[in-house]
Amino acid sequence: MLGSISSLLRPSAIASSSRNSLPLLPRPNPTINQQVRFRGQLAPKRTKYKKAAKGAPGTQIPIGGSLKGTTLHHGTYGLRACSSVRISASQLSSCQMAVRRKIKPVKGAQMYLRVFPDIPVCVKGNEQRMGKGKGSFEYWSCRVKPGKVIMEVGGGGIREEIAKAALKLAQARLPLQTEFITIDSSPRLGKISSDGLRSPSYALPVPNPIVELDAKDEGRAKDVVLLREEQQMDDLSRRLEGALLDEVSMPSHGVEGVQAQ
């Protein structure tokens, strides 16, 4: 009896009973590097693979004779790349903040990003031996080819000098040579920019009626666009009615021949 009581009062028995009574919580694994996306951050929501081939930053990206993405689609002024480079998400975010801050006084002006960082860049530490797999995730980036429009500015009747000043701030934050273009600028095929280059008809941008609105019509943009569409439909119906009336009023040659006889 006394032996059993003394065995229960031993420190080892008390420690073992306390360990069994405490809940076991899962320990975090520090080796797993999670790709966290914060609100407002330029990063994809989900990807199929955690790591991907990013491509060398100085290599030339093949174009293949395509003019896609070399002209403006949303705004009236834009910034176009003249060389091949890899742009990080932080660089695009700083450009976005600078341009938005500059065009904020212009009511109705907007900024459009034409590139998105969706390539994960993995980096290994300095003086590492070869092998042992790919490095850990570092940041998101995107590859830009020559002639690609990076960002656009438009809406609210923004003037050219304001748009040029805003895009100049973005130009100073990008690691490549860019050029300022307008809605009338010709497409660019790599390093060739000529008026003879034209995109096919199916690749032409669809006109955005909201961008063409003035600052005074910004609050009722939807009503103005619907009114314009109704006016266009009315004009088309009038033209069709006029064409039908003209066909009905014109006498046929067969009837004239019968009356003459």
Side-chain angles (χ1 to χ4, degrees), residues 29 34 60 75 83 117 139-140 160 229 240:
N29 190 359
Q34 298 180 353
Q60 190 77 12
S83 59
Y139 59 90
W140 294 100
E160 183 176 355
E229 292 180 354
L240 291 175

Side-chain angles (χ1 to χ4, degrees), residues 16-177:
S16 63
S17 62
S18 62
R19 282 199 302 268
N20 295 331
S21 61
L22 292 176
L24 297 177
L25 299 177
R27 294 182 179 180
N29 190 359
T31 59
I32 299 177
N33 189 7
Q34 298 180 353
Q35 301 173 2
V36 183
R37 179 182 181 272
F38 299 98
R39 180 179 295 179
Q41 183 184 8
L42 292 176
K45 290 184 178 180
R46 63 183 66 87
T47 55
K48 187 175 182 180
Y49 302 104
K50 292 192 300 182
K51 300 177 183 180
K54 62 183 182 299
T59 57
Q60 190 77 12
I61 302 175
I63 300 171
S66 175
L67 301 176
K68 184 178 179 181
T70 60
T71 54
L72 300 179
H73 279 221
H74 306 287
T76 52
Y77 307 100
L79 201 64
R80 188 163 60 184
C82 297
S83 59
S84 177
V85 77
R86 190 172 65 208
I87 304 176
S88 64
S90 59
Q91 292 170 347
L92 287 175
S93 299
S94 62
C95 295
Q96 194 175 19
M97 292 174 59
V99 172
R100 285 181 176 175
R101 191 183 300 114
K102 186 68 176 179
I103 66 175
K104 187 176 181 180
V106 182
K107 189 176 181 181
Q110 294 183 1
M111 195 271 290
Y112 307 92
L113 269 181
R114 295 285 300 276
V115 294
F116 188 80
D118 56 350
I119 300 175
V121 177
C122 301
V123 179
K124 297 181 73 172
N126 295 331
E127 300 182 1
Q128 292 284 339
R129 291 180 178 270
M130 296 180 65
K132 296 186 180 179
K134 196 175 177 69
S136 59
F137 171 79
E138 188 72 16
Y139 59 90
W140 294 100
S141 68
C142 62
R143 300 184 69 189
V144 178
K145 63 182 181 180
K148 175 68 176 177
V149 177
I150 301 175
M151 60 183 61
E152 301 180 13
V153 174
I158 185 171
R159 294 182 297 176
E160 183 176 355
E161 53 268 21
I162 298 177
K164 188 175 291 186
L167 294 176
K168 191 174 182 179
L169 297 175
Q171 187 178 18
R173 289 165 170 78
L174 291 175
L176 76 161
Q177 185 180 0

Side-chain angles (χ1 to χ4, degrees), residues 73-76 108 110 112 153-158 207-214 221 225 228:
H73 279 221
H74 306 287
T76 52
Q110 294 183 1
Y112 307 92
V153 174
I158 185 171
N208 189 358
I210 298 180
V211 176
E212 300 174 358
L213 296 177
D214 298 331
V225 172
R228 289 182 180 179

Side-chain angles (χ1 to χ4, degrees), residues 158-220:
I158 185 171
R159 294 182 297 176
E160 183 176 355
E161 53 268 21
I162 298 177
K164 188 175 291 186
L167 294 176
K168 191 174 182 179
L169 297 175
Q171 187 178 18
R173 289 165 170 78
L174 291 175
L176 76 161
Q177 185 180 0
T178 57
E179 61 177 349
F180 178 80
I181 61 173
T182 62
I183 196 69
D184 299 327
S185 299
S186 58
R188 187 182 184 94
L189 181 60
K191 297 182 179 180
I192 303 172
S193 179
S194 175
D195 295 334
L197 299 174
R198 286 289 178 264
S199 301
S201 58
Y202 58 84
L204 294 177
V206 178
N208 189 358
I210 298 180
V211 176
E212 300 174 358
L213 296 177
D214 298 331
K216 60 181 180 180
D217 298 331
E218 182 196 3
R220 51 189 187 91

